[in-house]
């Protein structure tokens, strides 16, 4: 059986897995530190900080399906491959814009009105989110093109998420070192524990380090990943066509997915996906998953500082613990999903998320016990994210010609929902000044419970719909779905 049917060689799998490393590094800073940086360091009002995050999420949400559509229909740059071409465009956009987001407004002073500073940061945020979306969609779209076996997709997704966790660990470890070095240089221990304008250089240096590391991993991805290009008529009768015939004969009845479409009428284009009920089931599950993961990551720093009253170094150590536990749990995704199926594995992750929400709800002043709660949140987030991505890849199956649109549509729902949710939370914030009031303690406590436990309930309902109506693909031109069509277990 060929590599593309079961799994990739170790080096090729590694080169693919690190292709999203730059995005993951930047996303870690974006979701964990954006609100903290603009509110506590630059002194923006809560609503203004929320506006910047909303602009970024909306720009990402709009860019994602458009890039997915264009990525499916454009041939790419020469022989480089259409997915890798879009990945390169996205990488360059991120590298050119991200450093300006976590830095002071150039030319601004203490007298500069906040609306002027907002205007300055918005273009950089839009370019960054465009680049981030281009890299994400092109990288995800490679999964069903590199491997077709169901468990190989889970394996490749798990490797990808393992490096996502490593990226987050890297960000938080470097942030902890930067905070630790600054604490050793401060004479006043009270100042070293509180975030303020003096911490601008920490976030600026962190952003530059992130870009340097991410650029190296992106280079490794482009050198080591070979994109499989569609064969032309001449190639179909040559070596490529002969190789594919041998693979199909060797695979035989053991192929777990749909056979390759033999006619154009069986190919699903982007309009056809909108008529698939399973498309909306997976979209709801993926959106709920991303809301849990991203919102908890966004507000964990505020919860640690304002609710628990912990020193600022905890905004590096607690996320670090979360992603270490997520990293360890990512290695059991494949055997666990083989044993009990993807749906039940996802439910296990939801149970961990709900356990974290109950712990936060009942233990109002947990203090150092927050480390134990962070382990639950990290392991649960890793589990549901890996499985939701695997379900999306399973939905696409061998419909790789429109895979980027599917990933783009899924990301559209999650980006827009995250942006709107953050803006609503920021608008409901009880403090309308830079300094937080005692009401912040209960506010961020309730936020952490709702964005984990509340959204987990919605995710459970989405999962139940998949258990009742299993995911199936209805090819274009067929009036009904047969029992032999693939489904998610």
């Amino acid at each position: 059986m060929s590599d593309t049917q079961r799994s990739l060689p170790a080096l090729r799998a590694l080169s693919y897995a690190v292709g999203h490393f730059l995005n993951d590094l930047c996303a870690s800073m974006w979701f964990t530190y954006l609100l903290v940086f603009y509110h506590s360091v630059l002194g923006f009002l809560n609503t203004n900080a929320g506006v910047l995050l909303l602009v970024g999420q909306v720009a990402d949400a709009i860019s994602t399906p458009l890039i997915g559509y264009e990525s499916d229909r454009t041939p790419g740059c020469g022989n480089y491959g259409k997915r890798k071409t879009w990945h390169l465009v996205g990488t360059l956009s991120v590298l050119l814009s991200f450093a300006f987001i976590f830095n002071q407004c150039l030319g601004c002073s203490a007298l500069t009105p906040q609306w002027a500073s907002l205007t300055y940061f918005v273009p950089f945020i839009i370019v960054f989110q465009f680049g981030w979306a281009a890299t994400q969609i092109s990288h995800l779209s490679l999964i069903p093109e590199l491997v077709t076996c169901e468990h190989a997709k889970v394996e490749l997704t798990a490797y990808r998420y393992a490096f996502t966790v490593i990226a987050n660990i890297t960000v938080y470890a470097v942030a902890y070192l930067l905070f630790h070095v600054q604490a050793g240089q401060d004479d006043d221990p009270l100042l070293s524990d509180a975030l303020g304008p003096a911490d601008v250089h920490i976030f600026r240096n962190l952003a530059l380090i992130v870009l340097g590391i991410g650029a190296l991993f992106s280079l490794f991805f482009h050198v080591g990943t070979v994109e499989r290009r569609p064969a032309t008529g001449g190639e179909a009768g040559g070596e490529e066509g002969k190789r594919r015939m041998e693979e199909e004969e060797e695979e035989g009845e053991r192929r777990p997915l749909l056979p390759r479409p033999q006619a154009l009428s069986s190919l699903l284009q982007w309009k056809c996906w909108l008529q698939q009920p399973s498309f909306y089931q997976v979209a709801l599950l993926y959106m709920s998953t991303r809301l849990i993961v991203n919102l908890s990551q966004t507000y964990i720093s505020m919860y640690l500082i304002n609710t628990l009253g912990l020193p600022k170094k905890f905004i590096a150590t607690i996320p670090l613990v979360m992603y270490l536990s997520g990293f360890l749990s990512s290695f059991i995704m494949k055997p666990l999903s083989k044993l009990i199926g993807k749906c039940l594995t996802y439910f296990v992750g939801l149970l961990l998320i709900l356990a974290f929400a109950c712990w936060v709800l009942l233990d109002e002043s947990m203090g150092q016990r927050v480390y134990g709660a962070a382990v639950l949140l990290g392991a649960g987030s890793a589990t549901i994210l890996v499985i939701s991505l695997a379900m999306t890849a399973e939905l696409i199956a061998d419909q790789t010609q429109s895979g980027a649109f599917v990933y783009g549509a899924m990301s559209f729902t999650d980006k827009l929902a995250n942006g709107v949710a953050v803006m609503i939370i920021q608008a409901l914030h009880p403090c309308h000044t830079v300094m937080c009031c005692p009401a912040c303690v209960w506010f961020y406590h309730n936020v952490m419970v709702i964005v984990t436990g509340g959204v987990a309930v919605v995710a459970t309902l989405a999962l139940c719909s998949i258990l009742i109506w299993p995911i199936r693909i209805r090819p274009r031109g067929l009036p009904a779905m047969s029992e032999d069509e693939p489904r998610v277990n």
Side-chain angles (χ1 to χ4, degrees):
M1 190 175 295
S2 65
D3 291 337
T4 56
Q5 298 300 317
R6 282 192 178 274
S7 59
L8 294 176
L11 187 60
R12 288 185 61 191
L14 178 65
S15 66
Y16 169 80
V18 302
H20 206 251
F21 201 72
L22 174 61
N23 260 23
D24 293 328
L25 290 169
C26 295
S28 178
M29 284 196 65
W30 172 266
F31 284 110
T32 308
Y33 296 134
L34 186 82
L35 294 182
V36 170
F37 176 73
Y38 282 99
H39 177 66
S40 300
V41 178
L42 295 187
F44 279 39
L45 298 177
N46 283 292
T47 52
N48 289 339
V51 165
L52 289 177
L53 194 144
L54 177 63
V55 167
Q57 295 303 105
V58 171
D60 196 355
I62 294 174
S63 299
T64 298
L66 295 179
I67 291 171
Y69 175 74
E70 289 297 325
S71 177
D72 284 331
R73 65 189 294 268
T74 55
C77 183
N79 294 325
Y80 200 60
K82 58 183 180 181
R83 309 301 188 194
K84 288 180 64 178
T85 298
W86 278 98
H87 189 285
L88 181 61
V89 171
T91 299
L92 294 176
S93 299
V94 170
L95 291 174
L96 293 174
S97 60
F98 188 71
F100 293 94
I101 298 175
F102 284 92
N103 202 352
Q104 286 180 316
C105 171
L106 298 179
C108 296
S109 65
L111 300 178
T112 303
Q114 284 197 10
W115 66 264
S117 299
L118 287 173
T119 305
Y120 169 85
F121 287 112
V122 164
F124 294 111
I125 289 176
I126 292 175
V127 173
F128 162 69
Q129 293 291 357
F130 166 81
W132 201 97
T135 304
Q136 181 202 35
I137 295 305
S138 58
H139 193 255
L140 284 173
S141 301
L142 279 171
I143 293 179
E145 295 191 7
L146 294 176
V147 293
T148 57
C149 176
E150 176 184 353
H151 293 297
K153 291 179 181 180
V154 176
E155 181 182 30
L156 206 57
T157 304
Y159 290 157
R160 180 182 184 273
Y161 186 76
F163 277 96
T164 298
V165 175
I166 293 174
N168 283 273
I169 291 171
T170 302
V171 170
Y172 302 134
V174 174
Y176 175 78
L177 291 176
L178 293 175
F179 282 127
H180 182 72
V181 170
Q182 185 204 44
Q185 296 174 349
D186 289 337
D187 296 329
D188 190 346
L190 294 178
L191 292 178
S192 65
D193 286 341
L195 283 172
D199 297 310
V200 170
H201 71 282
I202 290 181
F203 292 95
R204 180 193 63 224
N205 294 338
L206 181 59
L208 293 176
I209 294 172
V210 158
L211 292 178
I213 297 174
L216 292 177
F217 280 92
S218 295
L219 179 62
F220 181 51
F221 163 79
H222 281 276
V223 172
T225 301
V226 179
E227 181 177 346
R228 188 176 60 192
R229 294 182 293 276
T232 61
E235 294 172 334
E239 294 296 328
E240 180 68 16
K242 189 180 298 182
R243 182 183 64 81
R244 288 189 177 180
M245 289 179 62
E246 292 175 355
E247 290 175 359
E248 292 175 2
E249 291 177 0
E250 186 178 4
E251 184 69 17
E253 297 180 354
R254 291 176 292 177
R255 293 187 68 179
L257 300 178
L258 282 173
R260 289 187 180 277
Q262 299 300 316
L264 183 63
S265 61
S266 63
L267 297 177
L268 292 180
Q269 301 304 324
W270 71 273
K271 292 181 181 179
C272 303
W273 281 110
L274 301 179
Q275 302 172 9
Q276 299 286 334
S278 296
F279 177 81
Y280 298 98
Q281 289 177 283
V282 177
L284 178 60
L285 187 76
Y286 185 81
M287 181 189 72
S288 303
T289 300
R290 283 293 186 178
L291 280 173
I292 295 171
V293 175
N294 293 342
L295 291 181
S296 63
Q297 187 176 0
T298 299
Y299 285 101
I300 188 68
S301 297
M302 298 291 194
Y303 172 72
L304 295 171
I305 293 175
N306 296 293
T307 300
L308 301 183
L310 298 172
K312 65 184 179 183
K313 67 178 182 180
F314 277 82
I315 69 174
T317 57
I318 294 302
L320 181 60
V321 170
M322 288 170 50
Y323 281 94
L324 280 173
S325 62
F327 177 74
L328 296 177
S329 64
S330 66
F331 288 104
I332 66 171
M333 292 300 111
K334 183 181 178 181
L336 187 61
S337 65
K338 276 186 175 181
L339 181 63
I340 64 176
K342 288 191 286 293
C343 285
L344 289 181
T345 303
Y346 187 93
F347 184 67
V348 170
L350 284 180
L351 291 179
L352 296 175
I353 298 292
L354 290 170
F356 167 83
C358 292
W359 194 339
V360 173
L361 178 64
L362 299 176
D363 195 350
E364 299 172 359
S365 302
M366 63 175 63
Q368 299 291 331
R369 293 186 296 276
V370 71
Y371 283 105
V375 171
L376 295 177
L377 181 59
S381 298
T383 302
I384 63 175
L385 187 55
V386 168
I387 298 302
S388 66
L389 288 172
M391 285 184 177
T392 306
E394 180 67 16
L395 173 68
I396 296 172
D398 62 351
Q399 301 287 340
T400 58
Q401 76 287 340
S402 56
F405 171 78
V406 176
Y407 282 117
M410 299 299 165
S411 294
F412 174 83
T413 61
D414 111 68
K415 302 297 168 43
L416 193 60
N418 274 281
V420 172
V422 168
M423 196 63 230
I424 292 175
I425 292 172
Q426 294 298 104
L428 294 175
H429 198 282
C431 301
H432 300 286
T433 60
V434 176
M435 299 299 295
C436 284
C437 63
C440 290
V441 175
W442 286 107
F443 178 77
Y444 289 115
H445 175 268
N446 295 333
V447 165
M448 287 304 298
V449 173
I450 293 173
V451 301
T452 53
V455 182
V457 174
V458 177
T460 303
L461 297 177
L463 182 64
C464 289
S465 75
I466 294 176
L467 289 171
I468 298 173
W469 300 286
I471 295 174
R472 298 173 180 175
I473 300 175
R474 180 172 57 192
R476 186 174 60 177
L478 295 183
M481 294 178 287
S482 67
E483 293 298 324
D484 296 331
E485 292 170 0
R487 64 186 68 187
V488 171
N489 296 320

